Amino acid sequence: MRTIAIINQKGGVGKTTSAANLGACLAGKERKVLMIDIDPQANLSVHFGINIHDLERSIYHLMMGEADFAGVLCSTEIDGLELVPSEIALSGAEIQLVGMVGRETILKDAIADSLHRYDYVLVDCPPSLGLLTLNALAAVREIFIPLQTEFFALEGMSHLLNTVDLVKKRINRQLEITGIIPCMFDARTKLSQAVLDKIKQYFEDRVFNTAIHKNVRLAESPSYGKPITVYDPEAQGTKDYIALAEEVIAQEERLSAAQTNEQMEANDG
Ligand SMILES: Nc1ncnc2c1ncn2[C@@H]1O[C@H](COP(=O)(O)OP(=O)(O)O)[C@@H](O)[C@H]1O
Ligand SMILES: [Mg+2]
């Protein structure tokens, strides 16, 4: 089982689009997928056709101890893909969490007993490094960072990486950045390619080979409540996210070998 948070403290870089469509493509490859929306904007939930204004229970209730995992889980029209939805009320949680004991591990504790049913758990984070994102980082082993292939892509990156280091030291020793997703790539501009080269210099082999092209169909699909694979199976966006899912699946063997080594070393030491 892999648990992955999709983070970047900037908004509009492709977090939700990547979470939704990567999730759908992994489910399309026979993986059991749990999507967790921990952004109060609830874009991921809307992307899967959830009516967030009619929700009785959401991740907010799960984190406040007012509902259990089964009580907030939603099915979707994608086979093998389930979702813990969000709603605007979650924006209040950031403040309510401050006074709680173990405030960084509330999500982790709330989902711990239910994860064994899934091959992939993807957490779509808000555009900040606040308590909600920290809860996501405490609950996962891996981080994917979507980056827009535009001029300011790496701006703010040192702050993000420092935060990841701190979480690793203090809350979650196993946390690793295992994937950088280049998003909104525009093959017609030199700038896109130049920025992609910069991103590769910075993150080296952690950058996925698949760059997600700019594709208007990707921007349209959320308003129909469907991932791109359903909305337009022929779109460039569908091809890109399927290719990305194949790369993610190709990581499985390497990662499980690394984890086995880690365990053996831990047992030895
Ligand atoms: N590859 C792409 N091509 C075109 N539009 C995109 C692409 N990726 C994302 N978008 C659009 O850009 C906006 C921001 O993307 P989103 O995934 O919501 O970013 P974030 O979750 O990081 O805020 C959305 O309107 C989305 O539909
Ligand atoms: Mg988003």
Side-chain angles (χ1 to χ4, degrees):
M1 195 242 312
R2 293 177 68 185
T3 49
I4 304 164
I6 319 275
I7 71 165
N8 190 325
Q9 76 271 37
K10 286 192 218 177
V13 298
K15 287 185 291 297
T16 301
T17 305
S18 295
N21 294 307
L22 176 60
C25 291
L26 289 169
K29 301 209 176 275
E30 314 299 323
R31 301 306 193 272
K32 290 250 173 279
V33 180
L34 173 67
M35 312 281 321
I36 299 179
D37 190 352
I38 196 168
D39 182 355
Q41 293 177 66
N43 293 345
L44 182 74
S45 308
V46 172
H47 209 128
F48 283 103
I50 306 285
N51 183 346
I52 55 167
H53 302 292
D54 274 357
L55 275 181
E56 282 180 15
R57 297 259 175 266
S58 72
I59 189 165
Y60 173 78
H61 301 90
L62 180 66
M63 293 182 73
M64 292 300 137
E66 294 168 17
D68 62 8
F69 181 82
V72 298
L73 193 62
C74 295
S75 57
T76 68
E77 71 170 300
I78 310 295
D79 257 357
L81 188 147
E82 295 179 309
L83 172 84
V84 174
S86 182
E87 62 177 319
I88 305 294
L90 185 65
S91 56
E94 194 105 36
I95 294 161
Q96 286 169 276
L97 283 169
V98 170
M100 289 165 79
V101 175
R103 60 195 178 188
E104 288 100 353
T105 54
I106 305 275
L107 176 69
K108 179 187 171 153
D109 297 341
I111 61 177
D113 292 339
S114 313
L115 298 188
H116 60 273
R117 285 189 267 144
Y118 302 98
D119 299 308
Y120 280 88
V121 179
L122 301 182
V123 189
D124 185 31
C125 292
S128 80
L129 298 172
L131 263 180
L132 291 170
T133 297
L134 289 181
N135 263 272
L137 294 182
V140 300
R141 288 190 76 136
E142 297 179 56
I143 294 171
F144 286 178
I145 306 175
L147 291 176
Q148 230 177 324
T149 48
E150 292 191 0
F151 186 63
F152 289 113
L154 292 170
E155 194 204 46
M157 206 36 56
S158 58
H159 182 45
L160 192 158
L161 297 182
N162 283 339
T163 304
V164 171
D165 274 348
L166 277 177
V167 172
K168 210 175 144 152
K169 279 199 195 105
R170 297 188 186 160
I171 309 175
N172 181 1
R173 209 171 48 87
Q174 299 175 319
L175 194 63
E176 291 295 341
I177 298 169
T178 50
I180 307 294
I181 311 171
C183 288
M184 300 185 213
F185 184 73
D186 187 346
R188 293 165 309 179
T189 71
K190 282 198 179 128
L191 179 64
S192 244
Q193 186 57 54
V195 174
L196 182 55
D197 292 344
K198 265 243 148 61
I199 291 171
K200 285 182 176 165
Q201 265 173 26
Y202 197 92
F203 287 104
E204 301 178 338
D205 59 356
R206 284 184 288 182
V207 184
F208 287 112
N209 293 319
T210 307
I212 309 299
H213 291 78
K214 257 195 192 136
N215 179 214
V216 68
R217 306 298 270 170
L218 283 169
E220 291 167 2
S221 61
S223 62
Y224 294 86
K226 294 176 191 308
I228 190 69
T229 44
V230 177
Y231 175 64
D232 186 350
E234 303 303 321
Q236 180 66 40
T238 299
K239 293 182 189 128
D240 288 346
Y241 277 107
I242 288 175
L244 180 66
E246 284 166 355
E247 276 195 69
V248 169
I249 285 171
Q251 290 179 316
E252 286 173 8
E253 240 171 81
R254 187 156 48 83
L255 285 168
S256 71
Q259 284 166 14
T260 311
N261 280 344
E262 233 173 66
Q263 266 159 17
M264 278 163 45
E265 278 166 26
N267 292 343
D268 285 349

